């Protein structure tokens, strides 16, 4: 597995008595990066600043890492365990810490906005941006981002195909203004930006030609109209399951504590769907879990949340795809069917009663407008409006007709607060001094 520990740039740094494994070093680079710190001020589901209880993308990522290592420990105890694939908890933590780094300010509103503004320049999607930050942008090295190991970069790739092979937008009427943009008309293409094909090729290089061809296969997607990738590496499946559990259970906890959802919503949506599932331990416990979730005693609610997380983690099993030669592609982590179906019910519950709630959608819409107006302003006169280091990158990229990608990089790296204040600086009659405004 030594070639999976290789980096794009051979490490030249000398560290006294550094006994860390390559994946421990990857985890440290991610944890100490500016991109990771900025997650503390980026929207998870509810807008930053609405309340001091709920999760940001940073606390979400920390919880995903805890759940991810729990899944890895669970898989180690499984009768069909492929122990060689679980040789590093640091790798699992690194992937979980990094999985949201590429998401722009204002959540899905910001992603929709950047994708629309980049529609003629390769599009924008948060997971593709994560790879770009890790492998090119974060200034740990001059040209190779954090210069992470090949296996870490493979594990972060959730959609292993170039966006040019996936995009399939239906014809849309020309917008008279940004205000008219509807997210459902511009769903992001989930894949790797064509601008980063060189990194993608380097990551996949150790695989056989047959594995590469199978791994990058695409199929039609009925939900967005775009084509979608079909496969993920083993490490990615562990990280993605941890992300799904954290999203479904912990974001639901936030909504309950803040009074966004109550027991009537639960009984209307979750109970009938859960009772229709095949009987299992978790469905038998659901009435008791409901009682604790909606109790006024916080410790009972925490016990219910812990019970749910544990139930999902311990339901994760090995899955095998014999068509692949490499163990990293042949094996995947998956959830037992009845537990996976219940997790999907929880995810739909959060979507319907939290994300689609008008108050949340208003905030998302506002963020969407801010991001589009920032992009429009910065592309109108980049040499005048961009900070000096970004301007230098833009000048180099503009010669290759890739200047818009640099502006998308700049905006997507902003926190919610920074983007809002820059927007105010550019468009508000109220003046903010540059000393007050600061930089990023």
């Amino acid at each position: 597995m030594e070639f999976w520990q290789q980096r794009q740039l051979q490490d030249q740094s000398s560290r006294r008595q550094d006994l860390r494994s390559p994946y421990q070093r990857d985890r440290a680079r991610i944890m100490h990066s500016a991109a990771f710190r900025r997650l503390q001020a980026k929207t998870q589901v509810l807008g930053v600043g609405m309340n001091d209880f709920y999760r940001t993308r940073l606390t979400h990522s920390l919880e995903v890492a805890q759940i991810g290592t729990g899944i890895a420990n669970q898989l180690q105890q499984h009768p069909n365990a492929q122990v060689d694939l679980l040789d590093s908890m640091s790798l699992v933590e690194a992937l979980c810490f990094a999985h949201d780094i590429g998401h722009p300010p204002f959540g899905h509103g910001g992603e929709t906005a950047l994708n629309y503004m980049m529609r003629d320049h390769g599009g924008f999607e948060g997971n593709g941006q994560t790879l770009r930050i890790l492998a090119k942008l974060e200034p740990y090295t001059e040209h190779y981002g954090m210069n992470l190991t090949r296996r870490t970069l493979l594990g972060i790739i959730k959609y292993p195909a170039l966006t040019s092979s996936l995009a399939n937008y239906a014809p849309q009427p020309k917008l008279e203004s940004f205000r008219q943009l509807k997210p459902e008309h511009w769903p992001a293409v989930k894949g790797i930006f064509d601008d980063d094909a060189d990194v993608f090729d380097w990551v996949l290089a150790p695989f056989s030609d047959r594995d590469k061809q199978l791994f990058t296969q695409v199929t039609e997607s009925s939900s967005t109209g775009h084509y979608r990738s079909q496969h993920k590496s083993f490490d990615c499946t562990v990280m993605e399951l941890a992300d799904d559990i954290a999203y479904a259970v912990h974001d639901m906890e936030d909504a309950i504590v803040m009074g966004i959802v109550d027991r009537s919503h639960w009984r209307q949506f979750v109970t009938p769907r859960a009772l229709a599932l095949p009987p299992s331990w978790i469905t038998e416990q659901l009435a008791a879990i409901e009682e604790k979730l909606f109790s006024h005693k916080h410790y009972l609610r925490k016990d219910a949340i812990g019970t749910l997380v544990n139930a999902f983690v311990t339901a994760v099993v090995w899955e095998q795809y014999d068509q692949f030669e490499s163990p990293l592609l042949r094996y995947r982590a998956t959830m037992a069917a009845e537990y996976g179906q219940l997790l999907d019910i929880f995810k739909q519950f959060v979507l319907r009663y939290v994300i689609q709630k008008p108050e949340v959608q208003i905030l998302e819409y506002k963020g969407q407008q801010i991001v589009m107006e920032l992009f429009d302003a910065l592309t109108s006169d980049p040499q005048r409006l961009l900070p000096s280091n970004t301007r230098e990158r833009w000048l180099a990229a503009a010669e290759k007709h890739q200047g818009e990608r640099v502006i998308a990089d700049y905006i997507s790296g902003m926190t919610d607060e920074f983007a809002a204040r820059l927007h105010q600086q550019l468009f508000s009659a109220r003046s903010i001094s540059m000393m007050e405004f600061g930089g990023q």
Side-chain angles (χ1 to χ4, degrees):
M1 299 291 282
E2 184 177 344
F3 43 76
W4 288 108
Q5 297 179 3
Q6 292 173 351
R7 303 176 189 276
Q8 292 184 86
L9 176 68
Q10 184 178 344
D11 245 329
Q12 304 294 330
S13 57
S14 59
R15 301 288 169 86
R16 181 175 178 271
Q17 298 179 355
D18 191 348
L19 302 178
R20 294 174 299 169
S21 72
Y23 304 125
Q24 286 175 324
R25 297 174 71 188
D26 282 359
R27 179 186 62 185
R29 292 179 187 189
I30 293 165
M31 184 184 293
H32 293 291
S33 67
F36 183 67
R37 289 195 301 275
R38 286 182 187 133
L39 294 177
Q40 68 186 306
K42 286 192 177 185
T43 292
Q44 169 63 11
V45 171
L46 302 164
V48 173
M50 288 175 66
N51 188 290
D52 61 2
F53 168 81
Y54 60 82
R55 292 154 172 92
T56 65
R57 284 201 184 269
L58 179 63
T59 57
H60 164 74
S61 297
L62 296 174
E63 289 172 334
V64 172
Q66 187 272 326
I67 294 171
T69 54
I71 290 173
N73 282 320
Q74 170 70 17
L75 289 172
Q76 283 181 327
Q77 311 307 317
H78 197 272
N80 299 325
Q82 304 297 316
V83 179
D84 289 348
L85 291 179
L86 290 164
D87 57 349
S88 175
M89 291 296 167
S90 295
L91 171 62
V92 175
E93 288 186 319
L95 296 176
C96 294
F97 286 158
H99 82 282
D100 265 355
I101 274 179
H103 284 261
F106 308 113
H108 291 293
E111 184 178 61
T112 296
L114 279 178
N115 184 50
Y116 175 74
M117 301 306 287
M118 289 290 291
R119 63 194 181 280
D120 297 324
H121 308 286
F124 181 89
E125 192 269 333
N127 296 289
Q129 188 69 15
T130 294
L131 177 66
R132 186 166 170 80
I133 290 170
L134 298 179
K136 287 189 173 181
L137 300 180
E138 186 69 20
Y140 188 92
T141 63
E142 186 175 3
H143 301 296
Y144 300 100
M146 297 185 202
N147 196 32
L148 303 179
T149 60
R150 195 191 310 260
R151 185 168 170 182
T152 298
L153 293 181
L154 174 68
I156 209 70
I157 295 174
K158 295 172 71 172
Y159 312 107
L162 296 179
T163 54
S164 57
S165 69
L166 300 167
N168 185 34
Y169 287 104
Q172 299 295 340
K174 183 177 175 62
L175 301 182
E176 296 297 326
S177 76
F178 295 149
R179 304 285 189 266
Q180 299 174 338
L181 180 68
K182 292 181 171 57
E184 61 269 23
H185 293 166
W186 292 96
V189 182
K190 296 184 179 297
I192 306 298
F193 302 142
D194 285 39
D195 291 340
D196 302 319
D198 55 337
V199 175
F200 190 40
D201 290 342
W202 180 82
V203 171
L204 301 188
F207 292 133
S208 68
D209 289 342
R210 184 172 178 276
D211 271 5
K212 279 190 246 186
Q213 183 178 9
L214 284 170
F215 187 52
T216 56
Q217 280 181 336
V218 302
T219 186
E220 290 186 22
S221 171
S222 57
S223 59
T224 66
H226 300 310
Y227 296 96
R228 59 183 176 86
S229 58
Q230 300 182 66
H231 303 290
K232 303 180 196 297
S233 68
F234 166 73
D235 301 320
C236 185
T237 61
V238 173
M239 175 268 286
E240 193 162 41
L241 280 173
D243 187 24
D244 283 349
I245 294 169
Y247 163 74
V249 178
H250 290 144
D251 288 349
M252 180 173 66
E253 179 189 10
D254 284 356
I256 292 170
V257 171
M258 295 177 67
I260 295 173
V261 298
D262 58 31
R263 185 173 292 196
S264 66
H265 297 131
W266 174 276
R267 289 181 172 174
Q268 179 182 348
F269 190 92
V270 174
T271 302
R273 290 167 174 80
L275 292 179
L277 298 178
S280 65
W281 180 90
I282 189 67
T283 56
E284 292 171 2
Q285 296 293 316
L286 216 55
I289 288 171
E290 175 195 326
E291 192 65 34
K292 291 180 179 179
L293 273 179
F294 295 97
S295 169
H296 294 298
K297 297 179 179 179
H298 294 303
Y299 71 91
L300 291 177
R301 186 185 305 115
K302 292 306 296 185
D303 180 65
I305 293 297
T307 299
L308 286 172
V309 171
N310 175 260
F312 290 126
V313 167
T314 54
V316 176
V317 296
W318 291 89
E319 191 171 28
Q320 186 168 336
Y321 291 76
D322 289 330
Q323 68 266 42
F324 288 103
E325 300 168 20
S326 170
L328 284 174
L329 304 182
R330 188 184 312 136
Y331 298 101
R332 299 179 200 175
T334 190
M335 194 173 291
E338 62 273 23
Y339 287 82
Q341 290 167 347
L342 183 62
L343 186 66
D344 284 339
I345 291 171
F346 285 172
K347 288 165 67 176
Q348 291 301 315
F349 181 62
V350 172
L351 176 66
R352 177 167 176 176
Y353 289 101
V354 182
I355 294 175
Q356 293 178 346
K357 191 175 176 67
E359 294 87 337
V360 173
Q361 285 300 306
I362 287 171
L363 289 174
E364 193 170 292
Y365 175 83
K366 181 180 179 181
Q368 181 179 305
Q369 302 306 312
I370 288 173
V371 168
M372 287 190 289
E373 290 176 358
L374 284 178
F375 191 97
D376 191 48
L378 294 173
T379 52
S380 71
D381 198 345
Q383 296 195 62
R384 182 183 182 191
L385 298 176
L386 290 175
S388 57
N389 58 337
T390 306
R391 185 167 61 244
E392 290 175 11
R393 284 189 56 236
W394 179 86
L395 286 169
E399 295 178 0
K400 305 173 186 176
H401 306 288
Q402 297 174 345
E404 288 82 5
R405 179 63 65 191
V406 172
I407 293 174
D409 291 340
Y410 177 52
I411 295 174
S412 70
M414 296 177 182
T415 63
D416 295 14
E417 174 67 14
F418 185 92
R421 295 187 70 183
L422 178 57
H423 184 272
Q424 187 176 20
Q425 175 71 21
L426 287 169
F427 298 111
S428 174
R430 175 184 174 270
S431 175
I432 302 176
S433 73
M434 293 308 291
M435 291 297 292
E436 179 187 354
F437 179 64
Q440 182 161 342

